[in-house]
Amino acid sequence: MSLDPSFIGRTYPAVAVYEVGREKIREFADAIGDPNPVYRDRDVARSAGHLDVIAPPTFPIVITARIAEQVIFDPDLGLDYTRVVHGQQRFVVTRPMRAGDRLTGVLTVDNIQAAAGNDLISTRVDVTTEDGEQVVTAYSMLVARGTSGVSSK
Amino acid sequence: MTTAHGCAAPDYDSVDEGTELPQIDIRIRRADLVRYSGASGDFNVIHWNERAARAAGLPDVIAHGMLTMAITARIVTDWVGDPGAVAEYAVRFSRPVIVPDDEDGAEIVITARVAKKLPDHRVRVDIVARCGADKVLSMARAFVVLP
């Protein structure tokens, strides 16, 4: 079953605020095995010019993946999540996320296509503070392997 | 500021196109996948359940692409010291990282070099991440602002 191309260009309104916690950043840094003190120690972060501890470069996925679920798990899209692998990921950073940030994001479906028997969906999440300050944009491309052109039963 | 390697952080004037960053090797074991699932909220079964991974047509459990992307970023953030210097970071996941259920897990070998010096103290760093013979990330690049 192929994906419904009418989803291209759809935008989903800003979601409920996510507050970035200091301990969540530490937990994430621990999980990726990165001991950098800028993720843990506010004084070190401040001496590097940040207002509080900052999050690792890929931390935004914690927020943006959840926002993207609005379309990924929409049954009308027709994506078989058990066949999904991550194809590409890009973060464009206006400033690093930091503890205390109160963030929201707007989801846009940039593209849907079929290639080599796979279904590809490209999404973009523009993350801002609740006051509208631009923080990061996350571009994701997901691949559903071997699903394109296969009739669903 | 010193980097994780204890060296002085690089500055724009001291780096050249072609400058190699210190290589890093990082091992991923099953327990790391469980920990990353919890921390990231990505509980896709292919990252922790062998039976589900095989049913999805994979040879075994695979690492989260985002975990591979995260550990690969360290070659840049260890080099610059302040991860806040990363202005853009992008990868293509070209091959899955298969993580067997043993003590060795999978080893990722990460190399990088300064590919281009750009205006405004920015540089483009091109990164390669390999697991065995497989290039697991392709077109991996970071744009970094140097002092």
Side-chain angles (χ1 to χ4, degrees), chain A residues 74-146:
Chain A
D74 184 337
D76 292 336
L77 173 67
L79 188 69
D80 178 357
Y81 195 67
T82 66
R83 308 293 304 179
V84 165
V85 293
H86 208 152
Q88 297 179 28
Q89 183 63 42
R90 179 159 74 107
F91 298 102
V92 177
V93 181
T94 305
R95 66 154 173 85
M97 285 184 183
R98 59 180 178 245
D101 271 341
R102 290 175 54 80
L103 303 171
T104 184
V106 172
L107 166 67
T108 305
V109 179
D110 279 341
N111 200 15
I112 287 171
Q113 57 184 321
N118 301 322
D119 281 315
L120 280 49
I121 178 166
S122 300
T123 60
R124 179 177 91 237
V125 178
D126 291 295
V127 179
T128 62
T129 66
E130 61 182 340
D131 301 325
E133 179 194 4
Q134 175 69 31
V135 178
V136 61
T137 300
Y139 300 84
S140 301
M141 197 267 280
L142 299 181
V143 181
R145 292 169 307 115

Side-chain angles (χ1 to χ4, degrees), chain A residues 24 27-28 31-36 38-39 48 50 54 58 61 81-83 86-93 96 145, chain B residues 1 35-36 38-40 44 46 56 66-67 69-71 74 77 81-84 86-93:
Chain A
K24 186 66 191 179
E27 179 192 11
F28 189 86
I32 63 172
D34 191 332
N36 198 318
V38 180
Y39 303 141
H50 305 294
I54 62 168
T58 65
I61 200 72
Y81 195 67
T82 66
R83 308 293 304 179
H86 208 152
Q88 297 179 28
Q89 183 63 42
R90 179 159 74 107
F91 298 102
V92 177
V93 181
R145 292 169 307 115
Chain B
M1 176 166 217
R35 188 174 295 115
Y36 185 78
S40 68
N44 192 331
I46 61 175
M66 287 308 304
L67 175 58
M69 185 177 185
I71 65 172
R74 279 189 61 194
T77 58
D82 177 11
V86 177
E88 183 172 334
Y89 179 38
V91 306
R92 289 186 188 178
F93 303 99

Side-chain angles (χ1 to χ4, degrees), chain A residues 15-71:
Chain A
V15 295
V17 165
Y18 178 99
E19 184 167 328
V20 179
R22 188 171 294 115
E23 292 302 331
K24 186 66 191 179
I25 292 176
R26 178 201 300 271
E27 179 192 11
F28 189 86
D30 285 348
I32 63 172
D34 191 332
N36 198 318
V38 180
Y39 303 141
R40 298 172 171 82
D41 185 326
R42 190 195 283 184
D43 292 336
V44 172
R46 283 189 172 158
S47 69
H50 305 294
L51 294 176
D52 206 322
V53 295
I54 62 168
T58 65
F59 179 83
I61 200 72
V62 172
I63 298 156
T64 61
R66 205 168 302 171
I67 291 172
E69 285 178 0
Q70 292 175 95
V71 61

Side-chain angles (χ1 to χ4, degrees), chain B residues 26-118:
Chain B
I26 295 179
R27 205 166 275 285
I28 301 177
R29 298 181 179 84
R30 286 285 178 89
D32 299 313
L33 305 186
V34 175
R35 188 174 295 115
Y36 185 78
S37 291
S40 68
D42 180 351
F43 292 98
N44 192 331
V45 287
I46 61 175
H47 303 308
W48 53 269
N49 183 319
E50 218 163 283
R51 181 168 44 83
R54 295 215 160 98
L58 297 163
D60 203 338
V61 162
I62 64 169
H64 308 72
M66 287 308 304
L67 175 58
T68 306
M69 185 177 185
I71 65 172
T72 298
R74 279 189 61 194
I75 194 166
V76 174
T77 58
D78 282 2
W79 181 60
V80 295
D82 177 11
V86 177
E88 183 172 334
Y89 179 38
V91 306
R92 289 186 188 178
F93 303 99
S94 44
R95 302 282 302 164
V97 173
I98 296 155
V99 183
D101 182 19
D102 60 29
E103 283 306 303
D104 294 335
E107 188 180 48
I108 315 290
V109 175
I110 303 152
T111 55
R113 65 183 179 86
V114 175
K116 204 148 188 66
K117 288 184 84 172
L118 302 160

